[in-house]
Amino acid sequence: MTADAVVFERVSKSFGAVRAVDDVSFALPRGALVTLLGPSGCGKTTTLRLIAGLELPTRGRIEIAGRDVTRLAAAERRIAMVFQSYALFPHMTVVENVAYGLVVGGARRTEAEAEAGAMLASLGLEGLGQRLPAELSGGQQQRVAVARALVLRPEVLLFDEPLSNLDARLRRRVREDIRDLQKRLGLSVIYVTHDQQEALAVSDLVCVMRSGRIAQMGTPTELYDDPADAFVADFMGEANVIAGEVLGPGRIVLGGTTLEAAMRDHPPGPAQIAVRPEAVSLRREGEGLKGRVSRAAFLGQTREYEVETDAGTIFVVTPASAEAFAPGEAVICRLERVIPLRG
Ligand code: ATP
């Protein structure tokens, strides 16, 4: 039982001239929630569909729970997928929807419906079994779609942008529900999203994709604090990426000024340096990068600034409780932490 949930060995998928997935290898652990994150067209959905068996790879090998499934049909893979649109059958009741896969799989209707009822109860949907999907809220429909997938006891549960049909407030609640359920049942979940906050909030591991390849895979904090390159730095939250130089441990040059800041080890020499907006504090005097505020905005919990410096324009976010500055004021940017990029 130690096999990974999903393994890709040098998997490619082309559609004509487009390489939607380009020589991708990874091992996604069991019992974890892994998100596939990246901009539109980077290959997330194709990767998910390859796992599901809805696409077959042009090259490479795919394993699910230790079994080679490369050439198996979707129905033989012991996966279940929750679609963006939920894809509930509108003319069937909730309990019939959830029981459907079991019935198709050969279970007797009464048993299938009993199991469906138990699954609905464990997701807090008791009492809704006799309704039609149209008589449910968006969040409830989402949970019915999850119940319908889980009742099949899949090795891996796949989610394709599961929250995109929900409003912002509900989205946060439903993503917490999915995360709680995943932890409670120890499910192996692969989750596609293009929303980096959603990915940070729910994942054990995030796999950032770019142009059909994996840009970086790691825990949310690894990707945020230690992005490999400017693409990942910028995609995982915001970053000021500045051409500078590393002098030695904790010492860099930006815009001609020598600065001290916490940073990971990096060989001395020219480097792209990423600076998170919240890793900068603004002062009136002291050591740091001199600049002038060109824009200032109050956002309630935070203040946002643009500061013109010799190293270029730096975007800064400070807590609203910190001292406020107005456009035109001279400031010192103190960099608490910087990230020298490898790529
Ligand atoms: P989005 O967030 O927009 O859904 P994505 O990251 O999920 O994007 P994919 O849907 O996997 O990206 O698409 C990757 C690339 O493959 C894109 O260039 C897309 O146009 C192409 N592609 C995907 N499916 C097909 C198909 N069935 N036929 C032709 N090209 C396709």
Side-chain angles (χ1 to χ4, degrees), residues 210 227-236 239 241 272 274 341-343:
R210 179 191 197 183
D229 58 25
F231 175 78
V232 177
D234 199 46
F235 205 76
M236 300 302 294
V241 178
Q272 293 283 101
L341 299 173
R342 300 184 201 99

Side-chain angles (χ1 to χ4, degrees), residues 123 139 142-143 146 170-184 202:
L123 295 188
Q142 223 278 338
R143 268 192 274 172
V146 171
L170 198 53
R171 215 176 288 170
R172 182 178 297 202
R173 213 183 69 215
V174 174
R175 86 184 180 206
E176 296 308 329
D177 283 352
I178 292 175
R179 179 59 160 162
D180 288 347
L181 184 74
Q182 180 267 331
K183 282 191 183 157
R184 178 155 61 90
V202 300

Side-chain angles (χ1 to χ4, degrees), residues 117-247:
M119 184 54 75
L120 287 168
S122 94
L123 295 188
L125 295 168
E126 55 273 88
L128 301 181
Q130 296 314 313
R131 294 208 196 164
L132 293 172
E135 297 166 338
L136 302 177
S137 71
Q140 289 168 335
Q141 289 182 27
Q142 223 278 338
R143 268 192 274 172
V144 172
V146 171
R148 188 177 57 175
L150 280 182
V151 83
L152 301 173
R153 314 224 170 268
E155 291 283 358
V156 182
L157 185 57
L158 308 174
F159 285 93
D160 185 11
E161 304 249 7
L163 309 184
S164 49
N165 289 331
L166 303 175
D167 66 47
R169 201 171 281 255
L170 198 53
R171 215 176 288 170
R172 182 178 297 202
R173 213 183 69 215
V174 174
R175 86 184 180 206
E176 296 308 329
D177 283 352
I178 292 175
R179 179 59 160 162
D180 288 347
L181 184 74
Q182 180 267 331
K183 282 191 183 157
R184 178 155 61 90
L185 303 181
L187 303 172
S188 305
V189 170
I190 320 251
Y191 185 114
V192 164
T193 180
H194 62 267
D195 180 332
Q196 57 94 9
Q197 276 212 339
E198 193 175 312
L200 288 175
V202 300
S203 309
D204 292 301
L205 284 176
V206 182
C207 180
V208 181
M209 296 190 66
R210 179 191 197 183
S211 308
R213 290 174 170 260
I214 294 180
Q216 191 176 2
M217 190 160 131
T219 64
T221 47
E222 278 166 0
L223 292 188
Y224 193 82
D225 292 339
D226 205 8
D229 58 25
F231 175 78
V232 177
D234 199 46
F235 205 76
M236 300 302 294
E238 295 193 67
N240 300 284
V241 178
I242 306 163
E245 187 182 347
V246 174
L247 295 179

